[in-house]
């Protein structure tokens, strides 16, 4: 059970309900298991059951909801139990490509667009009966299309406005590609949660001999866009930070973009140091592998990769080769999005489980309590480092 916070004695906002869409079933079940365990112990230790805590202790907080499809490929949202007055949390993984549906005898893999439409269908099925709706979308839908340079769509901002117009009160995401997209909904709650604590925990678990000080460890951002993320990670550990920036040839255009001439490095000497490359996502993996090669050229010791979302759009062969060549030591990603089973068979892979963390967020929010301690878990990180230092 988590530490007894002040909010434990307060009355919940409403009866807790969790809708884990098919894309997020496994993560939703883990979150539910934590909440059932905590609240069962809590109600027996701290509270006498009253009407104010009706439904607080239950066997499951998961609400049965489906999005069945017609033969034409169209779908609908269906909630099979009452959610009237519930404090409702809807989980969706827009990156889960493993789910399929049949259309005219052909199998289609669900895209981010399909998952987003299912989310809207379930919100619509609630029909305004829930007391409050919070969407937990670990990978923010269309987050890579977050800003406009010319006559192009601004998909992420449009999606956020669409959800809030449908009655969503709060949106929680993790390590948003560009947090400033929240300016699209300035009157609603938007939280982007960094998984720093879980990364550090997984890192120390996978490398128990890691020495956490400026002389032995350094945090690296693979590009200028992720510098803020790397600085926060480095400050949490009390070590130095370095950054690569891509020097491009702006006189030439190849495949619609300026080719990269070289990866330039800014930062202290990495020779003999363990390094951690931190980024929000691994797409094809090219930038991560190139960064690891550059660090090895500069005589870095072990190279660890931490990324919130392991998309691995081109498969794992590049990382297999990089591991065999000694370029990388570990790859750490979260379970916030779908993970293929083969990933867990890799000797270099380490999983950062986020289910307990999300359960803590839901538990606190259901009591309408502050979640600032979970958004910036400095004290938890320091306690973890002290324990690691003693070991």
């Amino acid at each position: 059970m988590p530490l007894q916070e002040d909010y434990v004695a307060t009355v919940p906002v409403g009866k807790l309900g969790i809708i884990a869409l098919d894309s997020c079933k496994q993560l939703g079940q883990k979150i539910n298991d934590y909440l059932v365990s905590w609240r069962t112990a809590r109600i027996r230790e701290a509270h006498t059951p009253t009407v104010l805590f009706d439904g607080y202790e239950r066997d499951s907080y998961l609400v049965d909801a489906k999005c069945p499809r017609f033969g034409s490929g169209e779908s609908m949202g269906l909630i099979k139990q009452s959610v009237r007055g519930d404090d409702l949390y809807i989980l969706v993984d827009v990156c889960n490509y493993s789910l399929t549906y049949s259309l005219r005898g052909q199998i289609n893999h669900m895209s981010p667009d399909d998952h987003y439409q299912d989310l809207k269908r379930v919100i619509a099925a609630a029909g305004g009966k829930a007391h409050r709706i919070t969407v937990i979308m670990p990978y923010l839908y269309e987050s890579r299309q977050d800003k406009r340079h010319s006559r192009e769509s601004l998909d992420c901002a449009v999606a956020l406005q669409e959800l809030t117009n449908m009655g969503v009160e709060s949106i929680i995401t993790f390590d948003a590609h560009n947090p400033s997209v929240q300016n699209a909904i300035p009157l609603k709650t938007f939280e982007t949660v960094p998984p720093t604590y879980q990364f550090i925990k997984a890192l120390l678990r996978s490398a128990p001999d890691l020495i956490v000080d400026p002389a032995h460890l350094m945090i690296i951002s693979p590009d200028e866009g992720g510098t803020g993320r790397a600085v926060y990670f480095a400050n949490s550990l009390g070590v130095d930070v370095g950054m690569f920036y891509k020097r491009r040839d702006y006189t030439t255009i190849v495949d619609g973009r300026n080719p990269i001439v070289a990866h330039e490095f800014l930062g202290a000497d990495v020779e003999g140091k363990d390094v951690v490359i931190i980024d929000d996502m691994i797409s094809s993996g090219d930038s991560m592998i190139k960064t690891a090669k550059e660090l090895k050229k500069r005589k870095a010791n072990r190279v660890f990769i931490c990324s919130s979302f392991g998309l691995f759009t081109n498969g794992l062969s590049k990382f297999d080769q990089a591991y065999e060549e000694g370029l990388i030591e570990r790859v750490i990603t979260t379970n916030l999005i779908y993970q293929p089973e083969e990933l867990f068979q890799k000797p270099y892979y380490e999983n950062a489980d986020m289910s307990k963390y999300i359960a803590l967020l839901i538990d606190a929010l259901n009591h309408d309590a502050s979640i600032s301690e979970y958004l910036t878990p400095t004290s938890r990180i320091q306690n973890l480092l002290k324990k690691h230092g003693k070991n």
Side-chain angles (χ1 to χ4, degrees), residues 259-310:
I260 298 172
V261 177
H263 288 78
E264 304 290 355
F265 180 69
L266 298 176
D269 187 10
V270 300
E271 184 174 354
K273 296 180 183 179
D274 291 326
V275 293
V276 179
I277 307 172
I278 177 101
D279 207 356
D280 62 332
M281 71 179 74
I282 297 174
S283 185
S284 65
D286 286 340
S287 62
M288 288 293 193
I289 301 300
K290 288 178 181 177
T291 302
K293 286 181 178 179
E294 293 293 331
L295 290 168
K296 282 296 186 179
K297 286 180 183 177
R298 291 166 173 78
K299 300 181 180 180
N301 188 23
R302 293 178 294 182
V303 176
F304 300 88
I305 294 175
C306 290
S307 181
S308 302
F309 307 108

Side-chain angles (χ1 to χ4, degrees), residues 7 364 368-374:
Y7 68 76
D368 214 15
S370 171
I371 58 172
S372 58
E373 181 185 351
Y374 305 125

Side-chain angles (χ1 to χ4, degrees), residues 79-148:
I79 299 178
K80 297 185 177 182
Q81 63 192 77
S82 174
V83 293
R84 185 178 293 276
D86 282 10
D87 185 20
L88 200 59
Y89 295 81
I90 307 177
L91 289 91
V92 59
D93 172 16
V94 299
C95 293
N96 192 336
Y97 59 86
S98 69
L99 300 182
T100 61
Y101 63 92
S102 177
L103 178 61
R104 296 181 63 86
Q106 297 188 16
I107 300 299
N108 294 277
H109 287 264
M110 289 186 68
S111 70
D113 293 338
D114 292 319
H115 290 300
Y116 177 64
Q117 290 299 323
D118 278 356
L119 169 64
K120 291 196 297 179
R121 290 178 178 116
V122 169
I123 295 171
K129 303 301 187 295
H131 176 70
R132 184 175 68 177
I133 295 178
T134 299
V135 169
I136 300 179
M137 186 186 294
Y139 182 94
L140 187 61
Y141 174 69
E142 290 290 357
S143 59
R144 299 182 78 171
Q145 186 53 28
D146 58 295
K147 52 185 176 291
R148 172 180 283 164

Side-chain angles (χ1 to χ4, degrees), residues 1-5 7-8 33-47 56-57 61 356 359-360 363 367 374 380:
M1 192 166 67
L3 296 174
Q4 289 289 342
E5 308 286 359
Y7 68 76
V8 169
D33 291 344
Y34 278 115
L35 289 167
V36 169
S37 173
W38 296 341
R39 293 194 168 199
T40 298
R42 188 179 296 157
I43 200 74
R44 293 174 182 173
E45 293 175 8
H47 297 297
Y56 191 80
E57 179 190 4
Y61 300 97
K356 185 177 181 180
L360 285 168
D363 194 32
H367 284 268
Y374 305 125
R380 294 168 185 256

Side-chain angles (χ1 to χ4, degrees), residues 218-240:
M218 194 167 176
I219 309 302
I220 305 295
S221 173
D223 54 45
E224 55 271 31
T227 304
R229 185 181 299 105
V231 168
Y232 178 73
F233 198 97
N235 287 343
S236 299
L237 294 174
V239 298
D240 292 330

